[in-house]
Amino acid sequence: MSDGSIPLGRRDAGIAIGLALVMLLCGSVRMAPGVCGSFHDDAIYVSTASALASGQGYRLVDVPGAPLQTKYPILYPAILSVIWYVWPSFPANLLAMQAVTLLFGAATVAMGYLYLVRFGYFSRAIAASAGVICATAPYFLYFAVQTMAEMPFALLSIVALWGVESYLLRPDMGKRKQFAWGAALALPFLCRTIGATLIVAGLGVLLFHRRPLRWYTAGTVCAALGWIMWSLAGRGIWDTNPVDGYYTDYLGCWSSTGVSLVGRVFSKNLLMTAHGSAELPFEGLSAAMAAVLGRGYTNVLIIIAGLAPWLTMIPDLRRGRALAWMLAASLGAMLVWSWPPYRFLVPIMPFLAAYLLHAPATILPAPSAQRRWRVAGVLVVIVIVLANCGLLARHALEVRRTGFLLARLTDAPVDWSSYERTFAWLRQNSKPQDVIAAGLDSMVALYTDRRAVRPFVYDPGPLFYGDGPPELQTPQKLADILKAYQPRYLVESPMPGFMEEQPLARVLNELRQLYPGWLVVAHRDADPRFVVFELDATHEP
C-alpha cells in the first residue's frame, strides 16, 4: 500500500467493466423476479416509492394512518419512484426496480476497484480479487437483487470517499468544487442513516490533514439539513406508541433498547462483526469448511480471520487515510447499534475483502520467496471464487424450485406460490379500508393493497442478545395491540431469516388459548404454515 495516487488506464477500465459484468451475471442468477418483502424493508422502500410517484408525499401508505416516513432517508425511494411513475403496474414493475438496484451493485464493484487503485490502497491484483469475490458472494448478491438501499449506499460512499481523496490531493481546490464534494459527502446519509458516520470520518480526515473546511462543510450541511429536519418529525413517537415508533422513530427505537444493553451489544456485535468480515465474502468456502470441520470449529477460524482486515488497516488509520477512517467510523456505529451487524457489513465488503487479502503480505518472508506466495494467493482466490459460485448455484436452484429468495440456505424453505395464494384470498375477502396484522406486514400490504401492521413491539434484547428467553411479548400485550389497531385479519406465515417467527407463533397460540373464539381460522393454505385468522369482535376481550 502507498499514500500516492496512481493514474488509471485502459487496463483499469477493462477490469472494472469485467467486474461489473460478473456482478450482473451472478445477480441475474440470484434474483427472484416479482418477490418483495422477504426482508421487510424492501417492501417499505417500494411502498414509499409508490406514495411519492402518486403524489401522496413521503409517507408509509402501507401502515394504518399513513404516517410520514421519518425513519429511512428519501434518496433511494425517490429513485424507485421514477420507475413507479413511468411504469405504475405492480408487481410487473418490480423487475425494473430490482434491475436498477443490481446496476448499482455492478457499479459498486467496478468503482470500488477503481477507487482502491486510483488512490494507492492496494495493487490491481488485490483490488480486482476483492471485487470478483464480492461479485460472486451469495449474501452480497442477496442485497443487490432486492429493492434494498445497500448497493446505492455503497456506490455513493465510494463517490463521497473519492471527493475527500481528491481534496487531499489538491489542497488548492476551488470553493465551488469544495462545496460540490461536500454535498457529495452527505449523499450516503441521504440513502442510509449510517451514512452519518461517513460525514464524521470525511470531515475528520480533512481536519487531520489541515484542509480548510468552510466550503466543504457548507456543502455537506446544505445537502443533509433537509433530511435531518424532516426526520425530527418522528422523534418521540416511540415513547407514546412503540408499534408506530418502529416504523418512524429510529433514534427512539435505539435509545429505548440500546442504552440498557450497550455492554452486551458491544461484545456480541464485536464477535459478529469479526465473523461477518470474513464469512460474508468467503461464504462458499465457509460452508464447505463447516461441512468438513463442523460449524463450531469453522466459526472460530472465521472469527480469527475476520479480525485481520481491521488490524491490517491500523497503519492507514494512523496516517489519516480516508478509507480506513470511514471503516473505523462504521465499526463504531455497528458496535453500539442494537442490531446484528451483518447487513451493515455488506456495503463495505469490497474494502474489507481487500484488506483481508492484503493481510498475509504484512507477514510475507523475504522477497526471494514472494513469487511462490503470489502463486499461492492466486490459487486461494480461485478456490474462494469457485466455492462462492458453487453456493450461488445452489441458491439459484432453490429460487427456481420455490420462486422465493432466501438469504441463507439454512433458512427454512418456502414456496412463493403459498404467499401468492394467501394474498389472493385476502384481496377477495377483505375491503380496501380493512387493516391486516402480520409478521411480514409490509409484504402483505404491498401485494393486497391493504394497510398492515406488525402486532408486536421490537425488542432486540431477548431476540439477539440473550436478555431473557427469546420471546416477543406477553399474550396480553398482543391483545392490547390488536385491540388498538382493530385488524380484520391476522396472517401467520413463514418468516425465513427472522428471529421473530417462532416467538410470534408461540404468543399467538397462547393468545388463542387465553381468549377462545376471538381468532377464528378463516383460511389455511396447502402449506399449513400459512393461516389467516379472522378477529371476531363478539369475543374481543
Side-chain angles (χ1 to χ4, degrees):
M1 279 182 287
S2 65
D3 293 347
S5 61
I6 298 175
L8 299 173
R10 292 183 178 180
R11 177 175 55 166
D12 298 307
I15 293 174
I17 292 172
L19 290 171
L21 291 176
V22 171
M23 182 76 179
L24 292 174
L25 176 61
C26 294
S28 64
V29 171
R30 187 79 166 96
M31 188 180 297
V35 177
C36 187
S38 61
F39 200 87
H40 191 260
D41 292 4
D42 50 338
I44 291 179
Y45 284 123
V46 172
S47 66
T48 49
S50 70
L52 288 169
S54 59
Q56 300 177 69
Y58 195 41
R59 292 183 173 275
L60 291 160
V61 293
D62 58 324
V63 177
L68 296 175
Q69 171 55 295
T70 53
K71 182 178 180 180
Y72 297 148
I74 193 173
L75 186 55
Y76 180 58
I79 295 171
L80 296 183
S81 71
V82 175
I83 298 174
W84 192 289
Y85 183 82
V86 175
W87 189 6
S89 177
F90 182 85
N93 60 4
L94 183 59
L95 180 60
M97 300 184 198
Q98 293 170 311
V100 165
T101 308
L102 179 56
L103 286 172
F104 276 112
T108 294
V109 294
M111 287 293 294
Y113 164 81
L114 295 175
Y115 169 80
L116 293 175
V117 173
R118 171 69 177 85
F119 297 103
Y121 280 95
F122 302 102
S123 67
R124 288 179 171 88
I126 288 181
S129 297
V132 75
I133 286 172
C134 289
T136 57
Y139 197 73
F140 187 79
L141 291 165
Y142 174 78
F143 287 89
V145 298
Q146 299 193 90
T147 50
M148 296 287 287
E150 272 64 28
M151 292 302 121
F153 172 77
L155 180 60
L156 292 173
S157 296
I158 296 171
V159 172
L161 284 169
W162 202 294
V164 173
E165 303 276 10
S166 298
Y167 192 23
L168 291 176
L169 290 175
R170 292 188 55 195
D172 59 341
M173 181 181 289
K175 296 176 181 178
R176 290 183 180 179
K177 282 191 174 181
Q178 290 183 44
F179 186 91
W181 280 124
L185 184 61
L187 291 179
F189 174 66
L190 298 180
C191 193
R192 292 213 63 203
T193 303
I194 197 173
T197 61
L198 197 61
I199 294 176
V200 174
L203 295 179
V205 165
L206 295 176
L207 184 64
F208 179 87
H209 290 282
R210 302 179 184 277
R211 295 293 184 267
L213 292 179
R214 179 184 303 174
W215 291 101
Y216 213 99
T217 305
T220 303
V221 171
C222 287
L225 188 60
W227 171 248
I228 293 173
M229 298 302 294
W230 176 273
S231 64
L232 289 176
R235 188 70 182 95
I237 294 178
W238 180 277
D239 298 330
T240 58
N241 186 342
V243 176
D244 278 357
Y246 173 79
Y247 297 101
T248 56
D249 189 359
Y250 221 154
L251 289 178
C253 178
W254 175 80
S255 63
S256 67
T257 59
V259 174
S260 61
L261 290 171
V262 63
R264 196 169 297 160
V265 168
F266 183 93
S267 58
K268 190 161 186 178
N269 278 13
L270 180 62
L271 283 176
M272 287 191 285
T273 299
H275 181 268
S277 297
E279 198 265 348
L280 296 184
F282 302 165
E283 190 177 359
L285 183 60
S286 173
M289 290 171 58
V292 176
L293 302 176
R295 178 51 64 183
Y297 288 114
T298 299
N299 283 340
V300 171
L301 294 174
I302 288 293
I303 288 172
I304 294 173
L307 293 173
W310 301 100
L311 297 175
T312 305
M313 70 180 68
I314 290 177
D316 278 354
L317 280 170
R318 292 173 177 171
R319 290 197 294 267
R321 304 228 61 195
L323 176 59
W325 278 47
M326 183 274 282
L327 294 174
S330 298
L331 175 64
M334 289 187 286
L335 293 182
V336 299
W337 201 260
S338 50
W339 183 266
Y342 296 103
R343 178 183 178 183
F344 300 117
L345 289 170
V346 170
I348 59 177
M349 263 179 64
F351 302 136
L352 292 178
Y355 272 109
L356 183 52
L357 292 174
H358 177 75
T362 62
I363 55 173
L364 281 177
S368 60
Q370 285 188 3
R371 178 180 175 83
R372 287 179 293 175
W373 281 104
R374 281 196 289 266
V375 172
V378 171
L379 293 176
V380 168
V381 170
I382 291 174
V383 169
I384 292 170
V385 171
L386 289 178
N388 279 348
C389 289
L391 186 60
L392 179 61
R394 293 172 59 194
H395 274 285
L397 290 174
E398 183 68 18
V399 170
R400 299 301 175 268
R401 186 179 70 84
T402 65
F404 192 79
L405 185 68
L406 293 176
R408 309 273 191 168
L409 287 176
T410 52
D411 295 334
V414 59
D415 285 336
W416 177 242
S417 59
S418 295
Y419 289 101
E420 292 181 311
R421 288 191 296 269
T422 303
F423 302 150
W425 188 93
L426 288 167
R427 286 193 300 268
Q428 293 170 4
N429 293 274
S430 64
K431 300 176 182 178
Q433 66 270 23
D434 286 339
V435 173
I436 301 171
L440 293 178
D441 57 300
S442 60
M443 176 192 284
V444 170
L446 194 60
Y447 286 91
T448 63
D449 201 23
R450 308 289 187 264
R451 291 181 178 177
V453 64
R454 291 182 113 180
F456 53 83
V457 176
Y458 169 70
D459 186 357
L463 287 174
F464 307 123
Y465 299 104
D467 186 22
E471 301 296 339
L472 281 179
Q473 58 201 11
T474 64
Q476 187 56 56
K477 182 62 178 178
L478 174 57
D480 291 341
I481 293 173
L482 294 177
K483 288 193 291 183
Y485 287 91
Q486 290 292 305
R488 182 176 177 184
Y489 295 110
L490 187 151
V491 178
E492 183 179 15
S493 69
M495 300 168 60
F498 282 85
M499 293 287 290
E500 294 93 331
E501 180 180 349
Q502 294 305 319
L504 178 59
R506 285 195 294 269
V507 73
L508 183 58
N509 185 55
E510 293 172 6
L511 181 69
R512 295 184 66 204
Q513 294 179 17
L514 190 61
Y515 303 112
W518 187 22
L519 275 69
V520 182
V521 175
H523 169 76
R524 190 184 297 272
D525 186 66
D527 182 340
R529 294 177 295 174
F530 289 81
V531 184
V532 178
F533 299 97
E534 185 171 10
L535 280 75
D536 186 347
T538 60
H539 291 85
E540 181 177 292

